[in-house]
Amino acid sequence: MSSGKGGPGLPQERKVVTEIPGPRSREIQERRLKAVPPGVGSVLPVYTVAAGGGVVVDVDGNSLIDFGSGIAVTNVGNAHPEVVRRVQDQVAAFTHTCFMVTPYEAYVEVAERLNHLTPGDHEKRTILVNSGAEAVENAVKIARYATRRPAVVVFDHGYHGRTLLTMTLTAKNMPYKEGFGPYAPEVYRMPMAYPFRSELDGPATAAQAIDQITKQIGAHNVAAVVVEPILGEGGFIEPSPGFLPAIAEFAKANGILFVADEIQTGFGRTGRLFACEHEGIVPDLITTAKGIAGGLPLAAVTGRADLMDSVHGGGLGGTYGGNPIACEAALAVLDALDAEKIVERARQIGDIMLPRLRRMAEKHPEIGDVRGRGAMIAIELVKPGTTEPDPARTAELAKACHAQGLLVLTAGTYGNVLRFLPPLVIPEHLLNEGLDLLENAFGG
Ligand SMILES: *Cc1c(COP(=O)(O)O)cnc(C)c1O
């Protein structure tokens, strides 16, 4: 069932006309439970018919305020008109040839654009793949190949995907790893500078990590450090200042590649095109996905030309990687980022959200921390007066938001983070209304 057109032309209003989920959604949910295993969950099982601007519309006619963007994907808004136009044109021209069989220009152009836009003005190359996890897998393949070293270093609270290698790189056991072992070898996890939960500052935490790398692995055995410049699933943790630069400097001095996983932080989300820019980090390899193509499955590894070019012909690729429809969508997204000053809008969203959330935190002592950059904002919920995580309260608040028609997501190693990822094109009145609803959820 479809109600017709989505995109920014959808009425930009919250409308709750049934219980949430409504009767029609509940019917489909019943079918789903007989057709789809519960291992694939849904944050809020309202079944979507349209989305655009700052709203998601469901089969029961409810219009929800979107603070999720399909997990940081629809940065330029859902069904962006130029994405729709280019996708429609491409789908009518050809849907697939496989870039490894007969290539097409859009792939090359996406690669050129990413080489230009990502941090650093050195010569770069890009490969396109289908998902964030696949991008991270390929970054590790390239790093191992180029360095001829086996070990990969990751960090506490990190998230890198659900495939065998990337779930191994991921820190959190439940739900990502539990029962899915044995894991891939030669992955080592180091401490992360988590400002709200750590006594040590950034440089001191980095020194601890570097000491462990040196003593436990041997720097000369390490191909790469893989790190999210702001941690996503781990709870929107911005590493304490100085942590990332110290790790980057150590990596450089020891021939270890610095891989920035910008899959969640990329394409304007944090108020810069890439989050590495906040601390002036220039990664050797960078992985991107989510915000890249308005929801069409596309991901990329962009990196130093000498590293990327080192791999033998045929060593990289995949049937669907850089699908032409997804590439056209990415080109429309990259144009929109520029034309609609999307990165600036992310900063404006942060400027509206952070002060209001800080005022809420003064009234509600269960808000232990308010943090984030641009439109990647979170609150961490604790037992008042302590830093003890309160995942039950967090789940209750998310539920109260959903009931009012505000779509929010949770996150965090302790399940006690409410995260806010509105589309960067959300109208200001919906942003403010969403914050009002969140405040209601706290009980005024
Ligand atoms: C979502 C995410 C991934 C995995 O991307 P998929 O497209 O879901 O495979 C990897 N790293 C980070 C930082 C992410 O947020």
Side-chain angles (χ1 to χ4, degrees):
M1 169 179 166
S2 169
S3 79
K5 263 169 102 85
L10 272 180
Q12 294 298 298
E13 60 177 15
R14 178 180 67 110
K15 203 169 75 180
V16 177
V17 296
T18 68
E19 251 183 289
I20 291 179
R24 181 81 186 103
S25 277
R26 289 202 302 268
E27 263 172 48
I28 302 172
Q29 178 71 2
E30 258 179 55
R31 278 167 49 203
R32 172 230 182 102
L33 293 175
K34 293 194 184 82
V36 181
V40 186
S42 291
V43 171
L44 175 59
V46 301
Y47 284 78
T48 312
V49 291
V55 299
V56 171
V57 178
D58 75 13
V59 280
D60 291 289
N62 299 298
S63 174
L64 284 72
I65 298 176
D66 182 11
F67 275 15
S69 299
I71 320 188
V73 168
T74 53
N75 288 9
V76 302
N78 226 307
H80 184 286
E82 274 303 296
V83 172
V84 172
R85 186 187 66 77
R86 290 189 76 141
V87 163
Q88 284 177 341
D89 286 353
Q90 180 58 46
V91 93
F94 65 96
T95 46
H96 172 84
T97 58
C98 186
F99 190 73
M100 302 184 305
V101 178
T102 59
Y104 33 87
E105 187 175 359
Y107 186 123
V108 178
E109 195 178 339
V110 172
E112 288 169 344
R113 302 272 292 265
L114 291 177
N115 294 344
H116 175 68
L117 291 171
T118 48
D121 49 19
H122 52 284
E123 200 175 337
K124 293 175 213 149
R125 304 281 187 266
T126 289
I127 65 162
L128 300 178
V129 291
N130 302 295
S131 70
E134 200 185 348
V136 175
E137 292 257 353
N138 276 280
V140 171
K141 279 171 66 173
I142 294 161
R144 282 181 169 154
Y145 195 98
T147 61
R148 303 281 170 188
R149 298 173 177 186
V152 179
V153 165
V154 289
F155 295 90
D156 287 340
H157 311 288
Y159 178 86
H160 301 288
R162 292 175 179 274
T163 58
L164 175 60
L165 176 61
T166 58
M167 82 170 165
T168 305
L169 301 177
T170 292
K172 190 176 175 177
N173 181 55
M174 199 58 190
Y176 307 122
K177 304 169 81 161
E178 172 67 25
F180 299 137
Y183 309 110
E186 290 298 325
V187 172
Y188 300 87
R189 196 173 324 285
M190 296 297 150
M192 165 53 63
Y194 187 162
F196 181 63
R197 300 198 166 273
S198 153
E199 306 282 296
L200 296 179
D201 66 6
T205 311
Q208 207 178 54
I210 289 164
D211 184 59
Q212 288 183 30
I213 292 169
T214 311
K215 299 295 188 305
Q216 297 177 16
I217 319 168
H220 61 285
N221 292 315
V222 180
V225 297
V226 181
V227 64
E228 302 157 83
I230 298 176
L231 284 71
E233 302 304 304
F236 288 17
I237 302 162
E238 192 181 341
S240 314
F243 177 80
L244 292 175
I247 296 290
E249 194 181 321
F250 167 77
K252 190 167 186 173
N254 290 278
I256 299 169
L257 304 182
F258 188 99
V259 181
D261 182 349
E262 292 246 18
I263 288 166
Q264 193 152 159
T265 49
F267 301 104
R269 175 57 54 186
T270 71
R272 301 294 292 261
L273 201 50
F274 295 100
C276 274
E277 297 167 28
H278 293 293
E279 282 197 283
I281 305 258
V282 177
D284 298 298
L285 300 171
I286 175 168
T287 56
T288 54
K290 294 190 167 92
I292 194 174
L296 277 90
L298 190 72
V301 185
T302 301
R304 276 169 42 197
D306 60 315
L307 306 170
M308 301 290 291
D309 284 348
S310 74
V311 179
H312 55 271
L316 305 171
T319 305
Y320 295 126
N323 167 274
I325 302 164
C327 285
E328 289 293 329
L331 294 172
V333 165
L334 295 173
D335 285 343
L337 285 173
D338 202 31
E340 296 169 32
K341 298 196 166 36
I342 295 290
V343 182
E344 207 172 297
R345 287 164 85 159
R347 286 197 287 271
Q348 289 161 359
I349 289 170
D351 289 344
I352 292 169
M353 293 191 85
L354 283 168
R356 275 207 63 185
L357 292 168
R358 290 194 181 113
R359 282 202 298 280
M360 271 185 230
E362 281 166 21
K363 272 201 273 175
H364 303 286
E366 67 258 56
I367 304 178
D369 195 26
V370 174
R371 59 180 179 248
R373 277 185 184 273
M376 187 168 178
I377 305 281
I379 56 178
E380 180 159 353
L381 283 306
V382 294
K383 301 271 162 66
T386 74
T387 58
E388 194 191 325
D390 195 344
R393 179 71 174 136
T394 309
E396 193 180 277
L397 286 163
K399 216 172 143 189
C401 289
H402 296 163
Q404 301 176 91
L406 172 65
L407 180 53
V408 296
L409 311 178
T410 58
T413 298
Y414 313 104
N416 69 326
V417 173
L418 276 182
R419 58 170 154 169
F420 312 118
L421 293 162
L424 307 182
V425 296
I426 190 172
E428 196 171 323
H429 75 274
L430 286 182
L431 191 60
N432 283 316
E433 189 179 352
L435 290 163
D436 294 341
L437 298 171
L438 175 67
E439 188 135 31
N440 292 344
F442 276 99

mmCIF file of all heavy atoms in Angstrom, residues 20-47:
data_model
loop_
_atom_site.group_PDB
_atom_site.id
_atom_site.type_symbol
_atom_site.label_atom_id
_atom_site.label_comp_id
_atom_site.label_asym_id
_atom_site.label_seq_id
_atom_site.Cartn_x
_atom_site.Cartn_y
_atom_site.Cartn_z
ATOM 1 N N ILE A 20 -0.070 4.493 18.373
ATOM 2 C CA ILE A 20 1.149 4.210 17.598
ATOM 3 C C ILE A 20 1.848 2.998 18.201
ATOM 4 O O ILE A 20 2.193 3.046 19.377
ATOM 5 C CB ILE A 20 2.074 5.441 17.590
ATOM 6 C CG1 ILE A 20 1.406 6.550 16.761
ATOM 7 C CG2 ILE A 20 3.444 5.096 17.034
ATOM 8 C CD1 ILE A 20 2.161 7.815 16.662
ATOM 9 N N PRO A 21 2.038 1.913 17.451
ATOM 10 C CA PRO A 21 1.580 1.668 16.076
ATOM 11 C C PRO A 21 0.058 1.547 16.002
ATOM 12 O O PRO A 21 -0.590 1.052 16.921
ATOM 13 C CB PRO A 21 2.227 0.327 15.721
ATOM 14 C CG PRO A 21 3.211 0.013 16.791
ATOM 15 C CD PRO A 21 2.829 0.783 17.990
ATOM 16 N N GLY A 22 -0.483 1.965 14.841
ATOM 17 C CA GLY A 22 -1.926 1.911 14.617
ATOM 18 C C GLY A 22 -2.381 0.538 14.173
ATOM 19 O O GLY A 22 -1.564 -0.376 13.994
ATOM 20 N N PRO A 23 -3.697 0.378 13.972
ATOM 21 C CA PRO A 23 -4.257 -0.951 13.639
ATOM 22 C C PRO A 23 -3.688 -1.566 12.359
ATOM 23 O O PRO A 23 -3.400 -2.757 12.326
ATOM 24 C CB PRO A 23 -5.761 -0.690 13.498
ATOM 25 C CG PRO A 23 -5.947 0.781 13.510
ATOM 26 C CD PRO A 23 -4.734 1.402 14.117
ATOM 27 N N ARG A 24 -3.503 -0.766 11.337
ATOM 28 C CA ARG A 24 -2.990 -1.314 10.078
ATOM 29 C C ARG A 24 -1.534 -1.759 10.251
ATOM 30 O O ARG A 24 -1.143 -2.835 9.777
ATOM 31 C CB ARG A 24 -3.131 -0.228 9.000
ATOM 32 C CG ARG A 24 -2.677 -0.629 7.644
ATOM 33 C CD ARG A 24 -3.732 -1.453 6.883
ATOM 34 N NE ARG A 24 -3.146 -1.911 5.622
ATOM 35 C CZ ARG A 24 -2.713 -3.145 5.381
ATOM 36 N NH1 ARG A 24 -2.863 -4.093 6.283
ATOM 37 N NH2 ARG A 24 -2.158 -3.455 4.233
ATOM 38 N N SER A 25 -0.739 -0.954 10.953
ATOM 39 C CA SER A 25 0.642 -1.359 11.233
ATOM 40 C C SER A 25 0.683 -2.642 12.047
ATOM 41 O O SER A 25 1.509 -3.520 11.806
ATOM 42 C CB SER A 25 1.393 -0.263 12.001
ATOM 43 O OG SER A 25 1.892 0.710 11.112
ATOM 44 N N ARG A 26 -0.219 -2.748 13.011
ATOM 45 C CA ARG A 26 -0.221 -3.957 13.855
ATOM 46 C C ARG A 26 -0.575 -5.203 13.043
ATOM 47 O O ARG A 26 -0.012 -6.277 13.264
ATOM 48 C CB ARG A 26 -1.154 -3.772 15.057
ATOM 49 C CG ARG A 26 -0.588 -2.778 16.093
ATOM 50 C CD ARG A 26 -1.200 -2.981 17.474
ATOM 51 N NE ARG A 26 -2.635 -2.855 17.457
ATOM 52 C CZ ARG A 26 -3.300 -1.718 17.683
ATOM 53 N NH1 ARG A 26 -2.634 -0.606 17.952
ATOM 54 N NH2 ARG A 26 -4.604 -1.700 17.649
ATOM 55 N N GLU A 27 -1.481 -5.024 12.075
ATOM 56 C CA GLU A 27 -1.805 -6.147 11.181
ATOM 57 C C GLU A 27 -0.573 -6.614 10.394
ATOM 58 O O GLU A 27 -0.296 -7.804 10.304
ATOM 59 C CB GLU A 27 -2.828 -5.683 10.126
ATOM 60 C CG GLU A 27 -4.282 -5.993 10.419
ATOM 61 C CD GLU A 27 -5.170 -5.296 9.375
ATOM 62 O OE1 GLU A 27 -4.878 -5.396 8.151
ATOM 63 O OE2 GLU A 27 -6.122 -4.620 9.806
ATOM 64 N N ILE A 28 0.128 -5.655 9.827
ATOM 65 C CA ILE A 28 1.310 -6.008 9.016
ATOM 66 C C ILE A 28 2.390 -6.610 9.920
ATOM 67 O O ILE A 28 3.075 -7.566 9.546
ATOM 68 C CB ILE A 28 1.853 -4.773 8.251
ATOM 69 C CG1 ILE A 28 0.763 -4.181 7.353
ATOM 70 C CG2 ILE A 28 3.076 -5.160 7.411
ATOM 71 C CD1 ILE A 28 1.130 -2.854 6.716
ATOM 72 N N GLN A 29 2.487 -6.058 11.126
ATOM 73 C CA GLN A 29 3.477 -6.577 12.075
ATOM 74 C C GLN A 29 3.207 -8.052 12.381
ATOM 75 O O GLN A 29 4.130 -8.855 12.484
ATOM 76 C CB GLN A 29 3.460 -5.728 13.358
ATOM 77 C CG GLN A 29 4.407 -6.197 14.460
ATOM 78 C CD GLN A 29 5.882 -5.972 14.140
ATOM 79 O OE1 GLN A 29 6.223 -5.420 13.089
ATOM 80 N NE2 GLN A 29 6.759 -6.405 15.029
ATOM 81 N N GLU A 30 1.935 -8.416 12.504
ATOM 82 C CA GLU A 30 1.596 -9.824 12.751
ATOM 83 C C GLU A 30 2.054 -10.715 11.601
ATOM 84 O O GLU A 30 2.619 -11.784 11.818
ATOM 85 C CB GLU A 30 0.087 -9.985 12.932
ATOM 86 C CG GLU A 30 -0.305 -10.125 14.394
ATOM 87 C CD GLU A 30 -1.810 -10.259 14.569
ATOM 88 O OE1 GLU A 30 -2.389 -11.184 13.941
ATOM 89 O OE2 GLU A 30 -2.383 -9.436 15.304
ATOM 90 N N ARG A 31 1.811 -10.246 10.377
ATOM 91 C CA ARG A 31 2.289 -10.990 9.197
ATOM 92 C C ARG A 31 3.800 -11.079 9.211
ATOM 93 O O ARG A 31 4.376 -12.124 8.916
ATOM 94 C CB ARG A 31 1.842 -10.295 7.909
ATOM 95 C CG ARG A 31 0.433 -10.612 7.500
ATOM 96 C CD ARG A 31 -0.059 -9.667 6.423
ATOM 97 N NE ARG A 31 0.868 -9.526 5.310
ATOM 98 C CZ ARG A 31 0.900 -8.465 4.491
ATOM 99 N NH1 ARG A 31 0.060 -7.461 4.658
ATOM 100 N NH2 ARG A 31 1.766 -8.419 3.512
ATOM 101 N N ARG A 32 4.430 -9.967 9.526
ATOM 102 C CA ARG A 32 5.892 -9.921 9.520
ATOM 103 C C ARG A 32 6.476 -10.969 10.470
ATOM 104 O O ARG A 32 7.451 -11.640 10.150
ATOM 105 C CB ARG A 32 6.344 -8.509 9.923
ATOM 106 C CG ARG A 32 7.859 -8.377 10.151
ATOM 107 C CD ARG A 32 8.105 -7.712 11.485
ATOM 108 N NE ARG A 32 9.514 -7.489 11.786
ATOM 109 C CZ ARG A 32 10.127 -6.325 11.672
ATOM 110 N NH1 ARG A 32 9.485 -5.286 11.196
ATOM 111 N NH2 ARG A 32 11.379 -6.216 12.046
ATOM 112 N N LEU A 33 5.863 -11.093 11.647
ATOM 113 C CA LEU A 33 6.417 -12.025 12.632
ATOM 114 C C LEU A 33 6.328 -13.477 12.152
ATOM 115 O O LEU A 33 7.068 -14.331 12.624
ATOM 116 C CB LEU A 33 5.718 -11.856 13.985
ATOM 117 C CG LEU A 33 5.997 -10.508 14.660
ATOM 118 C CD1 LEU A 33 5.188 -10.352 15.941
ATOM 119 C CD2 LEU A 33 7.494 -10.328 14.944
ATOM 120 N N LYS A 34 5.440 -13.729 11.203
ATOM 121 C CA LYS A 34 5.357 -15.067 10.622
ATOM 122 C C LYS A 34 6.241 -15.214 9.387
ATOM 123 O O LYS A 34 6.394 -16.311 8.851
ATOM 124 C CB LYS A 34 3.904 -15.402 10.249
ATOM 125 C CG LYS A 34 3.004 -15.525 11.471
ATOM 126 C CD LYS A 34 1.676 -16.175 11.111
ATOM 127 C CE LYS A 34 0.730 -16.214 12.281
ATOM 128 N NZ LYS A 34 -0.003 -14.927 12.477
ATOM 129 N N ALA A 35 6.777 -14.096 8.891
ATOM 130 C CA ALA A 35 7.549 -14.128 7.646
ATOM 131 C C ALA A 35 9.015 -13.768 7.833
ATOM 132 O O ALA A 35 9.866 -14.165 7.045
ATOM 133 C CB ALA A 35 6.917 -13.181 6.628
ATOM 134 N N VAL A 36 9.310 -12.983 8.869
ATOM 135 C CA VAL A 36 10.658 -12.445 9.056
ATOM 136 C C VAL A 36 11.129 -12.836 10.452
ATOM 137 O O VAL A 36 10.364 -12.666 11.411
ATOM 138 C CB VAL A 36 10.635 -10.893 8.932
ATOM 139 C CG1 VAL A 36 12.022 -10.308 9.106
ATOM 140 C CG2 VAL A 36 10.019 -10.461 7.604
ATOM 141 N N PRO A 37 12.324 -13.360 10.603
ATOM 142 C CA PRO A 37 12.742 -13.779 11.948
ATOM 143 C C PRO A 37 12.976 -12.580 12.862
ATOM 144 O O PRO A 37 13.328 -11.489 12.396
ATOM 145 C CB PRO A 37 14.063 -14.517 11.682
ATOM 146 C CG PRO A 37 14.585 -13.927 10.418
ATOM 147 C CD PRO A 37 13.378 -13.556 9.603
ATOM 148 N N PRO A 38 12.803 -12.781 14.160
ATOM 149 C CA PRO A 38 12.918 -11.665 15.105
ATOM 150 C C PRO A 38 14.352 -11.152 15.268
ATOM 151 O O PRO A 38 14.543 -10.090 15.855
ATOM 152 C CB PRO A 38 12.391 -12.258 16.418
ATOM 153 C CG PRO A 38 12.538 -13.737 16.260
ATOM 154 C CD PRO A 38 12.404 -14.032 14.801
ATOM 155 N N GLY A 39 15.316 -11.900 14.717
ATOM 156 C CA GLY A 39 16.697 -11.400 14.750
ATOM 157 C C GLY A 39 16.845 -10.048 14.078
ATOM 158 O O GLY A 39 17.720 -9.266 14.434
ATOM 159 N N VAL A 40 15.979 -9.767 13.117
ATOM 160 C CA VAL A 40 15.934 -8.431 12.510
ATOM 161 C C VAL A 40 14.876 -7.641 13.259
ATOM 162 O O VAL A 40 13.685 -7.934 13.152
ATOM 163 C CB VAL A 40 15.537 -8.486 11.015
ATOM 164 C CG1 VAL A 40 15.643 -7.108 10.386
ATOM 165 C CG2 VAL A 40 16.383 -9.495 10.270
ATOM 166 N N GLY A 41 15.290 -6.675 14.035
ATOM 167 C CA GLY A 41 14.331 -5.909 14.840
ATOM 168 C C GLY A 41 13.904 -4.640 14.134
ATOM 169 O O GLY A 41 14.398 -4.311 13.058
ATOM 170 N N SER A 42 12.952 -3.929 14.744
ATOM 171 C CA SER A 42 12.588 -2.584 14.284
ATOM 172 C C SER A 42 12.426 -1.711 15.514
ATOM 173 O O SER A 42 11.821 -2.133 16.501
ATOM 174 C CB SER A 42 11.271 -2.584 13.508
ATOM 175 O OG SER A 42 11.414 -3.250 12.270
ATOM 176 N N VAL A 43 12.953 -0.504 15.439
ATOM 177 C CA VAL A 43 12.846 0.427 16.565
ATOM 178 C C VAL A 43 11.384 0.703 16.883
ATOM 179 O O VAL A 43 10.968 0.703 18.042
ATOM 180 C CB VAL A 43 13.565 1.753 16.223
ATOM 181 C CG1 VAL A 43 13.275 2.819 17.276
ATOM 182 C CG2 VAL A 43 15.068 1.518 16.091
ATOM 183 N N LEU A 44 10.608 0.959 15.839
ATOM 184 C CA LEU A 44 9.202 1.312 16.004
ATOM 185 C C LEU A 44 8.441 0.717 14.829
ATOM 186 O O LEU A 44 8.544 1.214 13.707
ATOM 187 C CB LEU A 44 9.053 2.848 16.024
ATOM 188 C CG LEU A 44 7.628 3.399 16.075
ATOM 189 C CD1 LEU A 44 6.884 2.898 17.315
ATOM 190 C CD2 LEU A 44 7.645 4.926 16.058
ATOM 191 N N PRO A 45 7.670 -0.357 15.066
ATOM 192 C CA PRO A 45 7.025 -1.043 13.934
ATOM 193 C C PRO A 45 5.773 -0.321 13.437
ATOM 194 O O PRO A 45 4.688 -0.889 13.428
ATOM 195 C CB PRO A 45 6.737 -2.441 14.476
ATOM 196 C CG PRO A 45 6.641 -2.257 15.958
ATOM 197 C CD PRO A 45 7.465 -1.064 16.319
ATOM 198 N N VAL A 46 5.950 0.924 13.014
ATOM 199 C CA VAL A 46 4.914 1.552 12.191
ATOM 200 C C VAL A 46 5.388 1.379 10.765
ATOM 201 O O VAL A 46 6.567 1.547 10.481
ATOM 202 C CB VAL A 46 4.692 3.046 12.515
ATOM 203 C CG1 VAL A 46 4.291 3.241 13.953
ATOM 204 C CG2 VAL A 46 5.888 3.903 12.159
ATOM 205 N N TYR A 47 4.489 0.985 9.888
ATOM 206 C CA TYR A 47 4.876 0.659 8.524
ATOM 207 C C TYR A 47 4.746 1.902 7.642
ATOM 208 O O TYR A 47 3.709 2.571 7.640
ATOM 209 C CB TYR A 47 4.072 -0.548 8.021
ATOM 210 C CG TYR A 47 4.643 -1.813 8.652
ATOM 211 C CD1 TYR A 47 4.342 -2.154 9.970
ATOM 212 C CD2 TYR A 47 5.560 -2.585 7.965
ATOM 213 C CE1 TYR A 47 4.918 -3.264 10.567
ATOM 214 C CE2 TYR A 47 6.137 -3.699 8.560
ATOM 215 C CZ TYR A 47 5.818 -4.033 9.861
ATOM 216 O OH TYR A 47 6.405 -5.126 10.455
#
